[in-house]
């Protein structure tokens, strides 16, 4: 049974790593948006990505929960900050 649990954990970790790699492509778009608008709520960032990254190799097809998890990771990594439900670039 322990082997099965390790396999499930490895599968979950690799799925998370794959999603993170896919989302990394959108980090520059998010930074650009926040550079122009200063701060934006999750829903607005999601809608803008759907609108502006709608074609090509890196077409945005993620759900709002996936984007929220990615933005929260960027907050933990000190790339972004979040306050009052809006994300903004961390001051350097």
């Amino acid at each position: 049974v322990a082997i099965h649990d390790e396999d499930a954990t490895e599968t979950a970790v690799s799925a998370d790593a794959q999603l993170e790699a896919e989302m990394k492509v959108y980090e520059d778009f998010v930074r650009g948006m926040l550079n122009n608008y200063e701060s934006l709520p999750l829903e607005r960032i999601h809608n803008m990505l759907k609108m502006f990254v709608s074609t090509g190799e890196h077409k945005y097809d993620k759900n709002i929960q996936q984007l929220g998890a990615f933005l929260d990771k960027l907050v933990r990594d000190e790339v972004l900050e979040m306050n009052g439900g809006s994300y903004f670039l961390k001051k350097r």
Side-chain angles (χ1 to χ4, degrees), residues 10-45:
E10 281 182 32
T11 301
V13 168
S14 92
D16 287 348
Q18 181 179 350
L19 178 61
E20 185 178 327
E22 290 173 11
M23 293 299 292
K24 190 76 175 152
V25 170
Y26 306 115
E27 183 177 340
D28 287 336
F29 289 103
V30 171
R31 285 175 183 250
M33 283 183 236
L34 295 174
N35 200 37
N36 289 328
Y37 290 96
E38 195 166 315
S39 72
L40 292 168
L42 173 61
E43 188 173 320
R44 181 102 187 264
I45 294 171

Side-chain angles (χ1 to χ4, degrees), residues 3-92:
I3 293 171
H4 176 70
D5 289 344
E6 286 178 21
D7 288 348
T9 301
E10 281 182 32
T11 301
V13 168
S14 92
D16 287 348
Q18 181 179 350
L19 178 61
E20 185 178 327
E22 290 173 11
M23 293 299 292
K24 190 76 175 152
V25 170
Y26 306 115
E27 183 177 340
D28 287 336
F29 289 103
V30 171
R31 285 175 183 250
M33 283 183 236
L34 295 174
N35 200 37
N36 289 328
Y37 290 96
E38 195 166 315
S39 72
L40 292 168
L42 173 61
E43 188 173 320
R44 181 102 187 264
I45 294 171
H46 180 65
N47 289 335
M48 290 174 81
L49 284 170
K50 286 193 310 189
M51 189 179 348
F52 296 118
V53 193
S54 60
T55 60
E57 180 183 350
H58 300 295
K59 179 180 184 215
Y60 181 73
D61 60 357
K62 306 305 177 212
N63 65 44
I64 199 162
Q65 292 80 14
Q66 290 170 314
L67 177 61
F70 179 67
L71 295 179
D72 291 344
K73 182 188 180 317
L74 292 178
V75 169
R76 287 191 306 276
D77 292 346
E78 298 188 356
V79 173
L80 302 179
E81 292 184 35
M82 196 239 220
N83 190 6
S86 287
Y87 294 89
F88 53 97
L89 291 172
K90 176 124 177 131
K91 304 282 188 245
R92 303 220 176 240

